[in-house]
Amino acid sequence: MTSVKQVQVTFDCAHPERVARFWCEVLGYVVPPPPEGFATWDDYNRSLPPEDQGSWFACVDPSGVGPRLYFQRVPEGKVAKNRVHLDVRAGTGLVGEERLATLQGECARLVALGAVCVQVLLADEENESCIVMQDIEGNEFCLD
């Protein structure tokens, strides 16, 4: 039996490079080098047929631990809530006011990058605080 060795998370979007660069900033990811034989991603894109130029982009965890993120252009816009979303673990190990303050600080940083704060969910008897957000194309994610 074969086991999975890696996972890639794929986003459908209108502007792959723009969304990829947003997530690089959110997660500390980097853009991988362009394909062999190309000095830049722009050079690579110019080598493609016009209809394929800018149709995808990717970013990777520089430590090699996190999954690769792949962004592909699709013609339709987002019309419903995501069925799967990322949890950005900014408050791991923190509780109470310290956790909330950390999440709010990260929320402010991400809003400055173009994200939208949708809802702050305060701690209750079962769960710690988290913040529901949207990326620059409206994809939901949580600061957790």
Side-chain angles (χ1 to χ4, degrees):
M1 177 159 30
T2 306
S3 64
V4 174
K5 303 296 184 213
Q6 294 182 347
V7 172
Q8 171 175 283
V9 179
T10 301
F11 290 71
D12 290 350
C13 56
H15 305 284
E17 183 174 354
R18 179 174 176 252
V19 180
R21 291 189 183 280
F22 168 83
W23 281 102
C24 281
E25 291 295 322
V26 171
L27 300 174
Y29 272 38
V30 297
V31 175
E36 190 171 323
F38 296 94
T40 67
W41 280 103
D42 285 338
D43 290 344
Y44 171 76
N45 264 316
R46 283 191 291 274
S47 76
L48 299 173
E51 64 274 10
D52 292 337
Q53 292 177 6
S55 65
W56 67 272
F57 211 79
C59 58
V60 296
D61 179 353
S63 72
V65 175
R68 178 179 191 247
L69 302 182
Y70 182 82
F71 304 85
Q72 61 188 6
R73 185 174 58 217
V74 296
E76 68 278 358
K78 184 176 178 308
V79 295
K81 181 179 182 293
N82 299 6
R83 296 278 314 243
V84 174
H85 68 267
L86 299 182
D87 284 344
V88 178
R89 308 294 313 269
T92 301
L94 303 175
V95 297
E97 291 301 317
E98 182 182 18
R99 178 185 176 87
L100 184 57
T102 298
L103 294 178
Q104 289 173 326
E106 183 65 3
C107 178
R109 182 181 81 85
L110 301 183
V111 166
L113 295 173
V116 174
C117 178
V118 175
Q119 182 178 19
V120 176
L121 300 171
L122 298 176
D124 59 25
E125 298 79 33
E126 296 179 28
N127 299 298
E128 281 295 334
S129 297
C130 71
I131 300 176
V132 179
M133 300 194 72
Q134 291 178 337
D135 74 8
I136 57 176
E137 285 201 2
N139 299 301
E140 295 88 5
F141 68 97
C142 291
L143 282 180
D144 175 353

